[in-house]
Amino acid sequence: MRAADSDREAVAEQLRVALGEGRLELHEYDERLQQVYLAKTYADLDGLLSDLPGTIPAAKAQLVPIGEKGEFVAPEADGRYPHATRRWLADTWDGYGLTVGIVVGIWAVICLMSQELIYFWPGWVAGPWGAVLIAITISGLVTGEPQKWAAKEARKRQAKAEKKARKKAQKESEGEDDD
């Protein structure tokens, strides 16, 4: 069966991933890439990947790296990200607790230094901000915002990992040019 341009592009992407992983040397990558664009059938394309483990283009991968330790977050079978709600809530509320704690601490120090209980002004920071965050939380939970947020974060992490891999491949190729 004849291969389409999109098939050739997919194989070229797999070869690029293999180069980035160090499975191919630059000259071998170049040779195979030329063969990819000359390939007419699927058999021609398959032969170019037969000695490589399953390289999946990052854009089509279902696993997204989230940390330096190799941890991954992948959508489950139903397409939902695990623990997305917990992570979204932590991201939404992360600054609130710290800020309110600092403001209440300042109020407490002022009360101790003046030796009298003064008006609780931190309520003007905590109250309105908390009310806005509660509204954001409720509307976000109703509209499915945690899953949208998790998918967006996964795309950002994936883009960052791809950029890091490109820089690493570029450094390696510059190192080979110097030899």
Side-chain angles (χ1 to χ4, degrees):
M1 189 186 260
R2 294 188 68 90
D5 288 340
S6 60
D7 300 320
R8 290 182 196 87
E9 289 297 324
V11 172
E13 175 67 14
Q14 289 178 323
L15 290 173
R16 188 194 63 75
V17 169
L19 175 69
E21 293 174 342
R23 298 183 191 282
L24 293 174
E25 293 181 11
L26 192 56
H27 69 87
E28 188 177 12
Y29 168 75
D30 188 46
E31 290 171 4
R32 289 187 188 205
L33 193 61
Q34 288 175 8
Q35 292 173 4
V36 163
Y37 290 110
L38 294 174
K40 291 187 178 21
T41 65
Y42 284 115
D44 296 337
L45 292 175
D46 289 339
L48 298 172
L49 300 172
S50 61
D51 63 335
L52 297 172
T55 53
I56 299 172
K60 295 182 180 179
Q62 292 295 311
L63 297 177
V64 180
I66 62 167
E68 296 297 320
K69 298 176 185 175
E71 304 169 34
F72 292 93
V73 170
E76 294 176 346
D78 61 358
R80 297 176 57 82
Y81 288 85
H83 311 294
T85 302
R86 179 178 48 86
R87 292 184 298 130
W88 176 74
L89 286 171
D91 184 68
T92 302
W93 285 81
D94 68 348
Y96 179 78
L98 179 63
T99 303
V100 170
I102 290 171
V103 173
V104 170
I106 292 170
W107 173 81
V109 168
I110 292 172
C111 287
L112 288 172
M113 291 178 69
S114 67
Q115 295 182 347
E116 68 178 77
L117 193 60
I118 62 171
Y119 177 73
F120 187 71
W121 56 267
W124 289 106
V125 174
W129 190 7
V132 169
L133 284 176
I134 287 172
I136 289 171
T137 299
I138 291 170
S139 68
L141 291 173
V142 168
T143 61
E145 188 62 31
Q147 290 297 320
K148 295 174 191 173
W149 175 86
K152 182 180 174 184
E153 290 295 309
R155 285 190 302 272
K156 286 196 301 192
R157 286 189 193 99
Q158 185 174 0
K160 187 175 181 179
E162 287 174 355
K163 183 177 179 181
K164 186 177 180 180
R166 280 194 306 269
K167 282 186 178 181
K168 183 178 179 183
Q170 183 180 12
K171 281 185 181 181
E172 289 174 357
S173 67
E174 287 173 0
E176 290 175 3
D177 291 342
D178 292 341
D179 292 337

